[in-house]
Amino acid sequence: MRFVSGGQYHARFAFGDLQVVSLYDGYIDMPPTRLRDESGNPLAVVPDTVPLAEGNLRLPVNAFYITDGTQSVLIDTGASDALGPTMGLLYDALAEAGIERGDITDVAITHRHGDHVHGLIAPDGSEAFPQLQTVWIGAGDTAVFTGRLEPIRDRAVPIEDMVAINDWVTAVPAPGHTPGHTIYDVRSSAGQLLVWGDTVHVPSLQFDQPHIAWEFDGDQSEARTTRAALLEQLSEPDRFVAGAHLDSPGVARVTRADRGYAVEYLA
């Protein structure tokens, strides 16, 4: 995985015979009380190594566009105008990267939360991707296609088990954060990339202490188990991660550290 170029809202990586484009949708601030210990209680002490913005955790929100020049998929879509003025930059990021929204036919959603799925609908109420054909999403999360997302329902393909969505991406159920939380396993001649959605929310803490969970993990115990398994897998050679809430642009390596793991960003 090699950083090639970037701008204010995007970063482009060469990944063997694929290109990976990170797309920045903005950020959302959350109180540190969202962090949970192993008993499910708010974390008593937030380490000084965890940066705060006016007392809040600032979570970047990233999506990822992956292409081999013929096939392409957009993984997650940001929030559009659903979650406030600090988000909804995905469309600017796509334009900056030279990616036409009208060329996007396949979208893969990691899970049902608004900062990942609401970007399917633009602020004016139109479909953000007018040539959209297929939206992959975990079967446990398909109920999200109501209200503003109702027009997309007929193109949603529920993921119930591991399934190839194209020649180089496989959807892998990874429940815990939500029932339908799904990661996307991307393979190229350069190795393996896991686009892992909300497996980690606070990278400055949860790599070092992966037992710490998040209030909005629907099943905190299951989310911990999923995170532990993925971190172990990612610590092997030639494996990379792309995370929605990793520090932008959100593409990194994972290595073993004294207590847990460490993250090494690639740009």
Side-chain angles (χ1 to χ4, degrees):
M1 182 80 73
R2 176 175 56 86
F3 173 74
V4 175
S5 62
Q8 185 176 4
Y9 302 128
H10 85 284
R12 189 180 304 272
F13 298 84
F15 183 44
D17 43 346
L18 302 177
Q19 281 198 355
V20 177
V21 184
S22 171
L23 302 160
Y24 180 65
D25 191 62
Y27 67 86
I28 186 167
D29 287 343
M30 294 282 186
T33 52
R34 301 287 189 218
L35 294 164
R36 291 292 190 264
D37 63 22
E38 289 182 278
S39 298
N41 299 314
L43 196 65
V45 177
V46 177
D48 293 339
T49 53
V50 177
L52 299 177
E54 299 180 351
N56 287 313
L57 300 163
R58 178 156 291 177
L59 276 60
V61 178
N62 307 302
F64 302 93
Y65 177 85
I66 306 173
T67 184
D68 66 359
T70 302
Q71 295 178 309
S72 63
V73 62
L74 174 64
I75 302 179
D76 284 342
T77 65
S80 186
D81 61 340
L83 293 177
T86 62
M87 299 182 66
L89 296 172
L90 178 83
Y91 314 130
D92 295 323
L94 287 165
E96 184 182 79
I99 300 167
E100 296 289 340
R101 284 198 266 158
D103 292 339
I104 294 173
T105 60
D106 294 89
V107 170
I109 300 295
T110 59
H111 64 290
R112 67 192 182 201
H113 289 160
D115 51 334
H116 301 262
V117 71
H118 276 303
L120 287 164
I121 300 297
D124 65 2
S126 66
E127 291 192 19
F129 310 108
Q131 301 303 315
L132 183 67
Q133 297 175 6
T134 305
V135 179
W136 300 86
I137 188 169
D141 285 0
T142 56
V144 74
F145 292 106
T146 60
R148 66 182 277 158
L149 295 176
E150 178 68 33
I152 310 295
R153 174 179 287 278
D154 63 338
R155 281 157 286 173
V157 177
I159 298 164
E160 299 186 14
D161 204 346
M162 188 181 301
V163 61
I165 69 169
N166 65 24
D167 292 343
W168 31 264
V169 180
T170 300
V172 182
H177 182 57
T178 66
H181 190 261
T182 300
I183 65 171
Y184 294 93
D185 183 344
V186 183
R187 304 292 179 113
S188 82
S189 58
Q192 177 186 22
L193 170 69
L194 296 184
V195 186
W196 73 357
D198 279 17
T199 301
V200 162
H201 289 83
V202 184
S204 58
L205 182 60
Q206 288 179 292
F207 282 95
D208 182 54
Q209 301 184 54
H211 63 279
I212 293 174
W214 188 245
E215 179 182 6
F216 296 139
D217 289 335
D219 185 325
Q220 292 178 18
S221 176
E222 190 172 38
R224 288 188 183 94
T225 299
T226 294
R227 182 163 48 254
L230 292 176
L231 286 168
E232 182 63 21
Q233 181 180 348
L234 283 162
S235 65
E236 298 298 325
D238 298 322
R239 299 189 180 182
F240 306 90
V241 64
H245 301 304
L246 299 188
D247 295 342
S248 186
V251 178
R253 290 187 182 92
V254 175
T255 58
R256 292 184 177 91
D258 291 342
R259 293 190 301 175
Y261 299 85
V263 59
E264 176 189 343
Y265 292 102
L266 300 186

